[in-house]
């Protein structure tokens, strides 16, 4: 029988991190659910893109090192392609940013692969506008306005 990754230690520690950060109970519940969802997706993704990765002796910290901005972008595309509500996608990405901030605080990671995702968020917003069946001129105008706003902050 193949050994499985045990993310319970991550989850329990992350829960304490969220509690210490005064997150609301519903947010904690959603973030933990989102984290389980992401890791389920990640294992399947890694089995496809890195078939030589040793899954027989799971080391969760080593698995974290496999996560990079491209993996996060692929996850975001996966979420978008499944036509999830934009709020759910944003929350799941927020979960990852918060989780990787936690990982940095534990010295498990040196940088947050889910941050600096502005291009991905704009693409997500564009996809949402296209689903609303707005014309290309309106979409371009909205995207230009958002980019201008983001350059100010």
């Amino acid at each position: 029988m193949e050994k499985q990754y045990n993310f319970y230690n991550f989850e329990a520690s992350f829960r304490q991190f969220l509690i210490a950060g005064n997150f609301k109970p519903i947010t904690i519940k959603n973030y933990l659910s989102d984290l389980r969802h992401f890791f389920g997706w990640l294992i399947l993704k890694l089995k496809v893109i890195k078939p030589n990765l040793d899954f027989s002796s799971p080391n969760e910290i080593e698995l974290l090192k496999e996560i990079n901005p491209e993996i996060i972008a692929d996850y975001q595309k996966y979420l978008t392609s499944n036509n999830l509500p934009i709020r759910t996608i944003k929350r799941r990405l927020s979960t990852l940013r918060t989780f990787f901030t936690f990982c940095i605080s534990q010295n498990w990671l040196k940088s947050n692969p889910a941050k600096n995702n502005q291009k991905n968020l704009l693409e997500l917003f564009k996809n949402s506008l296209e689903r609303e069946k707005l014309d290309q001129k309106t979409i371009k105008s909205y995207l230009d306005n958002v980019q201008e706003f983001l350059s100010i902050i």
Side-chain angles (χ1 to χ4, degrees):
M1 184 165 129
E2 183 176 309
K3 292 183 182 178
Q4 297 293 315
Y5 283 87
N6 178 3
F7 296 110
Y8 178 75
N9 292 333
F10 280 153
E11 191 175 314
S13 299
F14 185 47
R15 177 190 308 268
Q16 291 306 312
F17 177 81
L18 295 172
I19 291 169
N22 292 319
F23 284 78
K24 294 179 181 177
I26 189 67
T27 302
I28 294 171
K29 177 182 174 251
N30 288 334
Y31 273 27
L32 295 175
S33 175
D34 292 343
L35 189 63
R36 286 188 295 272
H37 182 270
F38 172 72
F39 278 119
W41 173 87
L42 178 65
I43 294 299
L44 293 174
K45 175 80 172 173
L46 289 176
K47 284 183 177 182
V48 170
I49 66 171
K50 295 205 172 198
N52 295 331
L53 195 63
D54 182 14
F55 286 94
S56 64
S57 58
N59 178 339
E60 289 80 9
I61 304 301
E62 288 302 313
L63 180 67
L64 286 177
K65 293 177 182 171
E66 296 293 329
I67 302 170
N68 57 47
E70 292 79 26
I71 292 281
I72 302 301
D74 286 349
Y75 181 62
Q76 182 175 348
K77 287 175 192 167
Y78 164 78
L79 296 173
T80 303
S81 70
N82 282 287
N83 295 318
L84 292 174
I86 191 82
R87 291 179 63 179
T88 301
I89 295 170
K90 285 181 177 182
R91 189 195 68 228
R92 286 186 175 171
L93 295 174
S94 176
T95 297
L96 295 181
R97 285 189 299 275
T98 303
F99 175 71
F100 294 128
T101 297
F102 161 70
C103 290
I104 291 167
S105 76
Q106 301 298 305
N107 292 317
W108 297 335
L109 291 176
K110 294 191 184 302
S111 64
N112 190 329
K115 281 209 173 173
N116 300 324
N117 226 6
Q118 182 175 331
K119 182 179 175 187
N120 293 334
L121 290 175
L122 285 172
E123 187 65 29
L124 187 64
F125 181 53
K126 179 182 176 190
N127 292 342
S128 174
L129 295 173
E130 287 172 346
R131 281 197 304 270
E132 300 277 331
K133 302 200 183 320
L134 297 174
D135 64 88
Q136 290 301 311
K137 185 177 178 181
T138 302
I139 292 173
K140 183 181 180 333
S141 175
Y142 283 172
L143 291 173
D144 288 345
N145 289 337
V146 170
Q147 282 181 311
E148 183 178 336
F149 173 75
L150 291 173
S151 70
I152 295 171
I153 57 173

